[in-house]
Amino acid sequence: MSIKIEHLSYVYGEGTAFEKKALDDISLELPDGQFIGIIGHTGSGKSTLIQHLNGLIKATSGQIYYNGQSIYQDNYNMKELRSKVGLVFQYPEHQLFEIDVFTDVCFGPKNLGLSQEETEERAREALEQVGLGEEFYRQSPFELSGGQKRRVAIAGILAMKPEVLILDEPTAGLDPKGRDEILDQIAMLHKERKITVILVSHSMEDVAKYVQRIIVMNRGKAMYDGAPREVFKHYRELEEIGLAAPQVTYVVNSLKEKGWDIKTDATTVEEA
Ligand code: ADP
């Protein structure tokens, strides 16, 4: 699996008074198996970008290749793309609607046309991977805690066996404990399933701890793209584009703990 994005631009409401350029000439390569964080303040284009990756939004201009094939070519199998590139939306628990947890997780694979037996096998496997045992199967999703609901929603996507798992702000609205649990679980999934994971967040704290590559979005552009240590060298610029100061301080402090020599009056930081 690989995704290649070439000169991608997207304009909402093109030709209307509400025209808004949300993505501006983005080119990125997302090779197989990486754990990638996309960060940026609200409105920087993160959600718009990821919705392009499974074809929910079609580019105004530019190209996206999945395994070398343009997803915009005639007769491209969008349904298959959507099962390969699993997207967990913000507040995914709002999309839980089945009578119980197990039926909910079965919904996706069943829709793919799999047999009942395989559907159920996948649901069991997916629920196990998000740490929900059989005692949860017959519970109503609405009786669960916020973190548990979110796990059910993630399991629903995992049951489709995606090659790429994209999570849009998976920790939004959770308490610190729920947040750490979800992020640890996601990190474990990346390790065990060896799939590409894209974690979208406005919080550097969330991504700094887990990912191997960070893409910083700002005003519809990919402003920085690299290993966390490379990206965090620009911490002053990050602060300037609204990635909140306390978070920068947190990251700087955690790098100091790791032995980095950071002079807080400097404009760049170097590893000790
Ligand atoms: P993020 O996910 O980083 O918060 P979005 O991709 O949601 O950013 O938004 C990027 C820009 O596009 C913002 O200026 C936002 O207001 C605008 N936008 C997002 N969705 C819509 C929409 N449905 N119609 C018009 N403008 C939109």
Side-chain angles (χ1 to χ4, degrees), residues 30 41 46 72 84 101 133 137 143 147 157 161 166 168 174 184 188 207 223 237 259:
L30 312 175
H41 62 85
K46 305 182 297 296
Y72 298 138
K84 298 279 180 227
V101 166
Y137 285 11
E143 291 165 0
I157 299 291
K161 291 217 192 252
I166 307 175
D168 194 356
L174 296 181
D184 287 344
M188 191 124 86
V207 297
M223 187 181 184
E237 289 90 344

Side-chain angles (χ1 to χ4, degrees), residues 30-63:
L30 312 175
D32 196 11
Q34 281 191 339
F35 193 170
I36 302 169
I38 300 183
I39 61 171
H41 62 85
T42 304
S44 57
K46 305 182 297 296
S47 296
T48 307
L49 175 62
I50 56 169
Q51 288 179 75
H52 277 81
L53 301 183
N54 74 349
L56 280 180
I57 296 183
K58 184 165 190 279
T60 306
S61 63
Q63 271 295 345

